[in-house]
Amino acid sequence: MAAKKVLLALTSYNGDFYEDGAKTGVFVVEAMHPFNLFTEKGFEVDFVSETGKYGWDEHSLIPDFLSGKDKEDFDNENSSFHKALKNVKAAKDVKASDYDIFFASAGHGTLFDYPKAKELQGLAEDIYANGGVVAAVCHGPAIFDGLKDKKTGKPLIEGKAITGFTDIGEVVLNVDKIMKDKGLLSVEDIAKKYGAKYLAPIGPWDDFSITDGKLVTGVNPASAHSTAQRAIDALN
């Protein structure tokens, strides 16, 4: 029997964002933890971004977020994670019918490009319409801004329960004003915009993820592993 396949989405935005001049982009563990779990469970994983390019969120490389085994894995250029990243695909070159799970990784970069990433959104819509799972962690739910349920024509998250990075977390990270100045919607804003029920964790850094049918969401870097596990459970 052919292995089940996961399409793991990355932001292609890699530009200045933070007050200290650091760039945002893909938040390392929010791509690496899901990749490691999916491959461990026997899934084939392909990376995709809207343009076929990506770059790292520089804050996700600091010891607060990348240390121990994660840092060892990340520093190993011969790891299966890095090998897969060398073959990141552009969304226009991917067939949705090849995949069972669409997983949107995150980093604040997603707030810039996911809402406009029509090819990526089309892949997520098709995978969901085919009975697959759509999952997103942290800022990954930015992909839901404009995403439709092809069977109903309504917003995919309308009337559904979702989570994602909290507005309180944006304040703690001191980026709430930057987001406002750049006209970027938070995950809570997107939930309100499309009539989804936003569920918050007790604390912004808790491991917290939820499932609503074939829709799975998680709140932060600490939730990347549990969100991927829920995606597998939802598929099964």
Side-chain angles (χ1 to χ4, degrees):
M1 206 171 102
K4 300 273 189 186
K5 292 189 79 173
V6 176
L7 192 59
L8 212 161
L10 308 170
T11 175
S12 51
Y13 181 85
N14 189 214
D16 296 344
F17 176 69
Y18 298 103
E19 275 189 335
D20 61 3
K23 290 179 177 179
T24 187
V26 181
F27 202 93
V28 174
V29 297
E30 291 170 352
M32 190 163 69
H33 287 178
F35 176 85
N36 288 345
L37 181 70
F38 287 132
T39 52
E40 185 190 305
K41 298 287 185 178
F43 287 78
E44 285 181 21
V45 181
D46 287 330
F47 284 109
V48 65
S49 74
E50 185 74 356
T51 64
K53 294 188 168 68
Y54 73 95
W56 300 117
D57 179 296
E58 290 175 337
H59 280 195
S60 78
L61 300 168
I62 64 174
D64 283 359
F65 294 113
L66 191 68
S67 59
K69 178 80 168 64
D70 288 339
K71 177 98 167 71
E72 277 175 41
D73 285 353
F74 183 74
D75 288 344
N76 177 10
E77 287 292 330
N78 296 314
S79 68
S80 53
F81 176 65
H82 279 295
K83 282 176 182 164
L85 281 167
K86 284 181 182 131
N87 296 312
V88 61
K89 300 170 187 288
K92 67 180 173 52
D93 299 328
V94 172
K95 268 169 54 188
S97 56
D98 291 341
Y99 299 92
D100 306 282
I101 295 172
F102 179 96
F103 190 100
S105 71
H108 281 88
T110 61
L111 303 179
F112 290 87
D113 77 324
Y114 277 4
K116 301 172 194 154
K118 295 304 169 200
E119 301 281 356
L120 263 189
Q121 289 186 332
L123 290 168
E125 288 175 349
D126 287 344
I127 289 168
Y128 191 84
N130 294 340
V133 171
V134 170
V137 69
C138 201
H139 294 90
I143 199 80
F144 301 139
D145 189 358
L147 203 64
K148 286 195 163 56
D149 182 335
K150 292 183 91 172
K151 288 176 183 168
T152 64
K154 291 180 177 174
L156 184 70
I157 60 172
E158 187 179 299
K160 295 195 174 72
I162 72 161
T163 192
F165 200 66
T166 64
D167 285 357
I168 292 166
E170 306 293 11
V171 173
V172 172
L173 290 180
N174 206 27
V175 296
D176 53 315
K177 187 174 183 304
I178 295 170
M179 285 168 59
K180 205 170 179 185
D181 289 349
K182 292 184 181 294
L184 302 172
L185 296 182
S186 70
V187 175
E188 291 192 43
D189 290 334
I190 291 165
K192 283 191 198 97
K193 181 176 174 181
Y194 293 102
K197 183 181 181 186
Y198 178 84
L199 301 180
I202 292 168
W205 308 110
D206 295 347
D207 179 353
F208 182 74
S209 54
I210 59 171
T211 305
D212 191 336
K214 299 274 189 188
L215 183 68
V216 177
T217 45
V219 85
N220 54 25
S223 313
H225 183 279
S226 67
T227 307
Q229 183 58 60
R230 279 182 179 272
I232 293 169
D233 295 343
L235 183 67
N236 294 336

